[in-house]
Amino acid sequence: MPKTTKSWFTLNNQGEGQPVKVWIHGDIGSYDIEAIDLIKALQSVGTQDAEFRIQSYGGSVYEGLAMYNAIKAHKGKTIGIVDGLVASISSYFLMACDEIQMPENAKLMIHDPAIGAWGGENEIESALTQLKNAKQTIA
């Protein structure tokens, strides 16, 4: 029986000895998926192993970093499964898993971060600094 359910996120605890199943299907950050929900879900299951089924086009670098850190900090074994496409920042938190499984017909896309900017010289320089910092952090 699902313990936590949102349109993009389901956590299903199968019981002792079985991994908690976490479905993450959606975009990361203000688009759909917030790291705080994943963090709270992992805290609620303690050291139980977790299996993450991921289908995501990516999204916010910083939400993805928080998800990466939450998965890395989890005391149980973590398995990441690519359900269809794991792209952009979602590929980064997939890499936090202890084990990765990817069916032959699934896709994984990794690229440098991107940013949109508008404004004068100061705003553009600030955006470029943020972009360079994000790239360095991910690398």
Side-chain angles (χ1 to χ4, degrees):
M1 170 158 262
K3 192 174 202 174
T4 303
T5 303
K6 290 191 172 195
S7 62
W8 59 266
F9 174 93
T10 302
L11 180 137
N12 193 337
N13 194 339
Q14 301 289 320
E16 195 172 322
Q18 296 295 316
V20 170
K21 297 187 186 290
V22 182
W23 284 266
I24 300 173
H25 285 216
D27 296 326
I28 311 304
S30 60
Y31 309 104
D32 285 325
I33 300 169
E34 295 179 346
I36 191 65
D37 295 316
L38 178 64
I39 292 165
K40 288 178 181 178
L42 289 176
Q43 288 174 341
S44 76
V45 299
T47 61
Q48 197 168 352
D49 293 348
E51 178 181 284
F52 300 91
R53 302 205 59 119
I54 306 168
Q55 163 65 34
S56 175
Y57 294 106
S60 167
V61 168
Y62 297 104
E63 286 291 317
L65 291 175
M67 294 173 78
Y68 174 94
N69 291 331
I71 293 169
K72 273 296 196 192
H74 185 65
K75 300 297 184 202
K77 179 180 179 182
T78 55
I79 301 168
I81 300 171
V82 179
D83 276 344
L85 172 69
V86 172
S88 197
I89 196 61
S90 59
S91 69
Y92 187 74
F93 70 78
L94 172 72
M95 299 302 160
C97 295
D98 298 321
E99 178 183 322
I100 296 172
Q101 298 175 9
M102 190 169 155
E104 193 172 308
N105 64 349
K107 300 293 180 204
L108 177 66
M109 189 210 22
I110 301 170
H111 65 87
D112 284 341
I115 194 170
W118 185 86
E121 184 178 342
N122 290 339
E123 290 81 10
I124 300 301
E125 286 177 359
S126 175
L128 183 57
T129 298
Q130 289 176 33
L131 183 61
K132 288 178 180 178
N133 288 339
K135 182 178 178 179
Q136 184 178 14
T137 298
I138 291 171

